[in-house]
Amino acid sequence: MDREALEATARALAVPGKGILAADESTPTMGKRLAQLGLPNEPGLRREFRETLFTAPGMEQHISGVILFDETLRQAASDGRGMAEILESQGVIPGIKVDGGAHPMDDAPGEKLTAGLDDLAERCAEYYELGARFDKWRAVITIGDTLPSAACVQANADALADYARISQDAGLVPIVEPEVMMDGNHSIGRCYKVTEWTLNTVYAALADRGVHLPGTLLKPNMVISANDADDRVGVEEVARKTLRCLKATVPPAVPGIMFLSGGQSEAEATAHLNAMNATGGGPWELSFSYGRALQQSALYAWGGDSANCTAAQAAFLHRARLNG
Ligand code: 13P
């Protein structure tokens, strides 16, 4: 494992003032986004929207890296260059989603376990050759009356740790993403407890596998009220509880915490991140690795029409600048 190279990549991704664009929606998920516009889920449309974002002039001022889906890393842009080459020419580091999605977990009704470890070492080696320098694996933890189960939290932490170690051995900085979902009606206190439990389990597993923490990044949920909670708390409380939870669980050797937006609106995701940094943050850089919260306005501004590319780029750059 080349520890120094991993550390340099992780620091470059978590550099102050910049964050990550998560443009790694799987093909079915991208289909849902396009369906919002009444558009078919075609490779050409997926490429055009993503290429529009990746060629936004000046994006490198606030975007340090972009997470791609396998299809995109292999797609040629309209000028024939590969997508990784386009990003590199913008001064942006290409990354890749390597998990195989969250699937129903055996003997755990209502819960999911992320797949994709079997051929991961081979895939990481190929992705490195194709230009990727970091990768991402998302685990899903669902809160319910009796969920999550200990088996689900442990199995997902173990898979994240195996993934992180395999990635580092292949020269890729692993983004470790245990997402405690905000679906449901649970309180922020319940989200805090489950997030604390999950992160403690994940960091124990990472230590067990000999993962080099300065060459990793964490992509967590914020500690937040569920979407349908009766008493959704405000921005300051989300920021305070999230920081408290992270300080209790995430070792300072981790260089950056890059939040997912998880269904928050664009404005909420920006306000929460700002409030956390305004209160002094923590021993790590605190930034973003947003998908929907960076792309939603841009998607609507584009609308499937290449004549609107400049407007879509402007919408994307606006969110990137506010989050940066
Ligand atoms: P959201 O910011 O839309 O949650 O997406 C981030 C991500 O990459 C989820 O895996």
Side-chain angles (χ1 to χ4, degrees):
M1 181 191 301
D2 185 345
R3 291 173 181 237
E4 285 183 13
L6 293 167
E7 287 175 28
T9 302
R11 278 198 307 270
L13 287 166
V15 72
K18 298 191 191 186
I20 294 171
L21 166 64
D24 61 330
E25 297 85 357
S26 66
T27 298
T29 301
M30 197 60 203
K32 288 185 207 160
R33 307 278 187 267
L34 292 169
Q36 292 171 4
L37 306 172
L39 294 171
N41 192 12
E42 289 173 354
L45 285 171
R46 296 195 290 271
R47 183 197 53 72
E48 183 180 305
F49 178 61
R50 285 162 165 162
E51 182 178 344
T52 298
L53 301 182
F54 304 166
T55 52
M59 77 182 278
E60 75 285 356
Q61 290 172 31
H62 300 296
I63 301 291
S64 57
V66 174
I67 316 174
L68 303 171
F69 187 59
D70 178 275
E71 173 189 74
T72 316
L73 184 59
R74 299 175 193 281
Q75 260 172 343
S78 49
D79 65 2
R81 287 186 296 165
M83 292 292 192
E85 195 184 340
I86 297 247
L87 291 172
E88 282 159 10
S89 72
Q90 292 264 62
V92 173
I93 304 173
I96 181 79
K97 184 226 295 284
V98 298
D99 67 65
H103 299 275
M105 186 173 158
D106 290 343
D107 303 324
E111 298 195 288
K112 290 182 172 173
L113 178 59
T114 303
L117 285 173
D118 287 347
D119 55 350
L120 184 58
E122 295 77 25
R123 290 190 293 121
C124 284
E126 188 194 3
Y127 289 139
Y128 189 96
E129 286 303 313
L130 289 169
R133 290 295 174 268
F134 71 102
D135 61 356
K136 175 191 118 170
W137 178 287
R138 172 172 176 259
V140 173
I141 305 294
T142 305
I143 297 184
D145 288 344
T146 59
L147 302 182
S149 67
C152 175
V153 172
Q154 189 66 55
N156 274 293
D158 288 341
L160 276 167
D162 286 336
Y163 140 78
R165 180 59 201 250
I166 292 167
S167 299
Q168 289 192 326
D169 286 340
L172 300 175
V173 167
I175 293 187
V176 174
E177 182 180 2
E179 176 174 2
V180 176
M181 302 291 285
M182 61 188 288
D183 297 338
N185 59 7
H186 55 268
S187 67
I188 189 169
R190 182 112 171 86
C191 178
Y192 186 110
K193 283 282 171 210
V194 173
T195 303
E196 180 182 50
W197 174 21
T198 300
L199 291 174
N200 278 329
T201 310
V202 166
Y203 280 101
L206 292 175
D208 185 57
R209 305 302 194 283
V211 172
H212 182 56
L213 293 185
T216 66
L217 295 168
L218 175 68
K219 175 164 174 164
N221 54 285
M222 295 181 194
V223 174
I224 194 166
S225 316
N227 279 327
D228 299 326
D230 293 334
D231 54 347
R232 300 204 77 227
V233 306
V235 171
E236 299 305 322
E237 188 70 354
V238 169
R240 203 178 62 75
K241 285 207 159 66
T242 302
L243 273 179
R244 190 174 159 77
C245 185
L246 294 171
K247 283 179 180 168
T249 53
V250 184
V254 174
I257 296 181
M258 322 297 279
F259 291 101
L260 60 92
S261 58
Q264 298 176 48
S265 71
E266 290 178 326
E268 270 179 323
T270 305
H272 287 145
L273 179 60
N274 185 55
M276 278 184 255
N277 277 300
T279 59
W284 349 260
E285 283 300 324
L286 281 178
S287 193
F288 58 93
S289 174
Y290 293 158
R292 284 160 286 181
L294 275 173
Q295 298 183 68
Q296 195 66 9
S297 296
L299 184 71
Y300 278 90
W302 170 66
D305 184 346
S306 53
N308 298 328
C309 283
T310 307
Q313 289 178 334
F316 165 54
L317 291 172
H318 177 66
R319 288 318 318 165
R321 187 171 55 77
L322 292 182
N323 286 305

